[in-house]
Amino acid sequence: MRVACASAFCLSLVLTGCSFSPTTELAPDTGLALRGAVHGGQQPIAGARIYMLAANTTGDAGPGIAASSSNASHSLLSGTGSSDSLGSYVLTDANGQFTITDDYSCTPNTQVYLYSLGGNPGLGTGVNPAAGLIAALGGCPSSGNFLTSTPYIVINEVSTIAAAYAFSGYATDATHVSSSGTALAKVGIKNAFANAANLADLSTGNALATTPNGNGVVPQTTIYTLANALASCVNSNGAVTGPTNPTACYTLFNNATSNGTSTGTIPSDTTTAAINIAHNPGANIAALFSLPTATAPFPQLGAQPNDFTLGIEFSGGGINDPYAIAIDGSGSPWITNNGGTTSSVAQLASNGTPISPSTGYTGGGLTGLFGGIAIDSVGNAWIPNYSGNTVTELSNSGTVLSGASGYTATGLHRPYGIAIDGSDNVWVTSVTSPFNVVELSNAGATLSGASGYTGGSLAAPYSVAIDGTGNAWIVNKNTSTITQFSSTGTVNINAPFTGGGLSTPYSVAVDHSGNVWVANYNGNAIYGNSISEFSNSGTNIGGTNGYIGGGLNLPYSIALDGSGNAWLANSLGNSVSEFSNSGVPITGENGYLGGNINAPDSVAVDGSGNVWVANLYDSTVTELIGVATPVVTPIAVGVKNNALASRP
């Protein structure tokens, strides 16, 4: 076992953020893999067990998924001289210090984290078995170990919140972090682990105010407030007694259950509590906010928040009056922009770093980008040009593939909605008369004849989605109806479909069962501000008035996550709403408000479980970290593999 010498080191507390950083005496030595310390707030935790764990890739873990042997994290340590049912571990010394040298091995590109459990927080409380803290290290280096990089790692409540939120979509609890073995899932969990670095600095234990690249605003004080809630339990003896005179751990654990309600599983350590809060960021806000004491170790929000979502607001890459957003297979968001003198498309990396230049991608006929954007199965982006009556195709690196003016499809008139089928053919709606739907091949050739596909009482068809069998579903804004075409362009003889609360429908999505979900923009008292759901045969299954509540307020866009839950951008509410796959509202009356959401007109879910929102008025995009279930991206791959609204 390698344990750092207590007498050789001291800690320097940093009052801004109430964390600490190593002195020059603590500079990592050449050849050491990992060194660091564990703290509960400002207090070192002595005798804590430090495990090095790797995420599994043989079975999904995450919200609503039970812990099992197939999704258990792997222990990487060996030969330390100490082990238990979780694996080998090293102990922290009296100052909370630990050292791990060559006691481990890991497979390159597996995702690694440190888990600290138990120990004495040094407040006269004795050992606290409920003190669980984590730090996300990310991908194992190509060398198979961390010997070539020797960071100093602070494991505390801040690092725990950062990691718990970042990979919550792949975590059931502290020791069950796992994805499936698909290529998309491995990309998703890799990106999820990397997101922790956008929230906290592992070398200091501080929450960040801006992302390392500088273009993202991080909710620093919200992170600290959540860290304080954990610290109230960590800096105790871990007793879970109540409800009369409840201990801090009792209050934390009973308000951070697996489903956010009294029926959920109660966690036994603070890391699992943090993961559960990330899964249910709108639950029990008052109780969690009240946990920190007057001597809380980190800066606290001045007032109780609406919710505990962690939203990062990104700019750059040419984002300017963003209208639509889509996610590719690498987790990269693509955003259409209509601000400035030139329409453009912006692209960010999965961690929000700009990929496109400061002007965005331009040219290729991009003009009047009021409609949608879609990504095909090879990662190329397709954009309808409302003002140019053309469609532009960009490669996955932003190069124009469709010529100087875009594809001039026969019959296309004021193109708006766009979707891609399992053959990478592109379906585009003409939103002004003569109304139609035009189909293009993936080479830009017109497949739908001289007039496009017509019939079915098309009337201002705002949005189109393709189901797993290749049928196209189109919502008609002007008549509050739905039209369906087969994969060959034949209109369903029963179309248009009506009822179910349809009222000025703006956006449509299809789930794994082929059910059709519609966002109703109209805000009247009887219909609208609702979601309609229809079966794959066009039967209303969402009730007379559709699904209501959840903070819906002129919902402009809808997206489905890997659990089939619906996410809606509320253009008037400056919020995002979430509904279960059975139509039950999960968000409260205000929706989720994190990340300075402002006039959102598009929403998308990525393969890491993050929800991305385009903020029209702020010329930014917001990423709500780890709030959703990871989903197959791009949507065209979900169509192709019959995996719509499914986990990757």
Side-chain angles (χ1 to χ4, degrees):
M1 184 189 311
R2 280 79 169 172
V3 182
C5 177
S7 63
F9 306 108
C10 64
L11 293 176
S12 174
L13 293 178
V14 180
L15 295 180
T16 56
C18 300
S19 69
F20 58 90
S21 57
T23 67
T24 54
E25 293 180 288
L26 281 171
D29 296 331
T30 302
L32 292 181
L34 296 170
R35 298 180 71 186
V38 180
H39 261 218
Q42 299 180 24
Q43 298 296 126
I45 300 180
R49 298 183 178 188
I50 308 298
Y51 306 88
M52 179 181 280
L53 303 176
N56 206 335
T57 57
T58 60
D60 287 317
I65 300 176
S68 69
S69 58
S70 66
N71 60 24
S73 304
H74 293 302
S75 175
L76 299 180
L77 288 177
S78 62
T80 65
S82 300
S83 64
D84 58 20
S85 61
L86 294 181
S88 295
Y89 58 84
V90 298
L91 290 170
T92 58
D93 66 14
N95 284 340
Q97 305 286 328
F98 67 89
T99 301
I100 300 171
T101 56
D102 56 354
D103 303 319
Y104 71 95
S105 61
C106 59
T107 303
N109 298 318
T110 56
Q111 302 306 308
V112 181
Y113 64 104
L114 298 180
Y115 176 43
S116 170
L117 184 62
N120 190 333
L123 296 172
T125 59
V127 173
N128 181 354
L133 300 167
I134 56 174
L137 303 186
C140 178
S142 59
S143 60
N145 60 62
F146 289 91
L147 289 172
T148 55
S149 59
T150 55
Y152 186 88
I153 297 168
V154 174
I155 306 176
N156 66 359
E157 294 88 351
V158 172
S159 70
T160 301
I161 291 297
Y165 270 73
F167 57 64
S168 68
Y170 290 97
T172 294
D173 57 36
T175 59
H176 291 80
V177 182
S178 183
S179 71
S180 72
T182 68
L184 280 175
K186 290 179 179 179
V187 169
I189 197 169
K190 175 183 177 181
N191 292 343
F193 268 73
N195 247 345
N198 271 346
L199 300 174
D201 182 346
L202 279 189
S203 67
T204 64
N206 287 327
L208 298 176
T210 59
T211 56
N213 193 60
N215 70 310
V217 178
V218 182
Q220 184 183 55
T221 309
T222 303
I223 296 171
Y224 281 143
T225 299
L226 287 164
N228 284 334
L230 300 187
S232 67
C233 177
V234 171
N235 289 323
S236 75
N237 64 5
V240 185
T241 58
T244 302
N245 298 318
T247 63
C249 290
Y250 177 91
T251 301
L252 175 65
F253 292 166
N254 280 273
N255 288 282
T257 62
S258 59
N259 64 4
T261 75
S262 60
T263 64
T265 302
I266 297 173
S268 60
D269 76 297
T270 50
T271 290
T272 301
I275 291 169
N276 290 345
I277 294 169
H279 290 166
N280 307 284
N284 307 317
I285 302 302
L288 296 171
F289 182 73
S290 67
L291 271 169
T293 66
T295 57
F298 305 104
Q300 179 84 358
L301 288 170
Q304 178 182 314
N306 176 78
D307 56 77
F308 276 126
T309 54
L310 296 182
I312 302 178
E313 186 181 15
F314 289 105
S315 58
I319 298 172
N320 194 347
D321 287 356
Y323 269 78
I325 190 167
I327 311 295
D328 69 17
S330 71
S332 178
W334 293 71
I335 306 106
T336 60
N337 305 288
N338 225 17
T341 58
T342 305
S343 297
S344 67
V345 174
Q347 182 190 8
L348 304 180
S350 61
N351 67 353
T353 301
I355 295 176
S356 53
S358 60
T359 56
Y361 301 133
T362 59
L366 292 172
T367 179
L369 308 186
F370 300 112
I373 181 172
I375 312 296
D376 66 22
S377 66
V378 297
N380 296 335
W382 294 75
I383 307 99
N385 298 301
Y386 178 90
S387 301
N389 294 329
T390 61
V391 177
T392 298
E393 180 187 9
L394 302 177
S395 75
N396 55 18
S397 60
T399 302
V400 174
L401 300 177
S402 49
S405 301
Y407 297 128
T408 54
T410 306
L412 199 60
H413 184 70
R414 298 299 189 208
Y416 199 87
I418 189 167
I420 297 175
D421 66 21
S423 300
D424 275 340
N425 295 332
V426 182
W427 295 65
V428 187
T429 65
S430 295
V431 77
T432 61
S433 184
F435 305 123
N436 65 12
V437 179
V438 171
E439 183 184 6
L440 304 176
S441 74
N442 56 16
T446 302
L447 301 177
S448 49
S451 301
Y453 301 135
T454 59
S457 299
L458 291 171
Y462 255 46
S463 181
V464 56
I466 311 296
D467 67 24
T469 60
N471 298 319
W473 295 82
I474 299 99
V475 291
N476 299 299
K477 168 181 169 288
N478 285 1
T479 56
S480 296
T481 61
I482 302 174
T483 300
Q484 183 203 38
F485 288 93
S486 73
S487 59
T488 58
T490 302
V491 68
N492 188 308
I493 59 173
N494 296 313
F497 303 112
T498 61
L502 286 171
S503 183
T504 317
Y506 268 29
S507 182
V508 61
V510 182
D511 67 19
H512 184 66
S513 299
N515 296 333
V516 180
W517 295 70
V518 181
N520 296 303
Y521 183 81
N522 192 338
N524 70 52
I526 299 176
Y527 301 110
N529 277 345
S530 67
I531 307 169
S532 298
E533 184 183 8
F534 288 77
S535 73
N536 57 10
S537 63
T539 302
N540 168 36
I541 57 176
T544 302
N545 297 328
Y547 306 130
I548 59 175
L552 290 174
N553 199 340
L554 299 189
Y556 200 94
S557 176
I558 188 169
L560 303 178
D561 70 13
S563 294
N565 289 358
W567 293 82
L568 297 102
N570 297 305
S571 59
L572 186 60
N574 295 329
S575 65
V576 172
S577 294
E578 180 188 8
F579 283 68
S580 75
N581 55 19
S582 59
V584 176
I586 294 173
T587 43
E589 62 181 8
N590 297 318
Y592 293 141
L593 301 177
N596 195 32
I597 296 172
N598 194 352
D601 48 15
S602 186
V603 62
V605 183
D606 69 18
S608 300
N610 307 307
V611 174
W612 292 82
V613 184
N615 301 309
L616 178 63
Y617 289 166
D618 281 348
S619 289
T620 60
V621 296
T622 293
E623 180 189 18
L624 297 179
I625 303 295
V627 72
T629 300
V631 72
V632 170
T633 61
I635 293 174
V637 170
V639 173
K640 183 175 184 178
N641 297 337
N642 195 23
L644 286 166
S646 299
R647 294 182 66 102

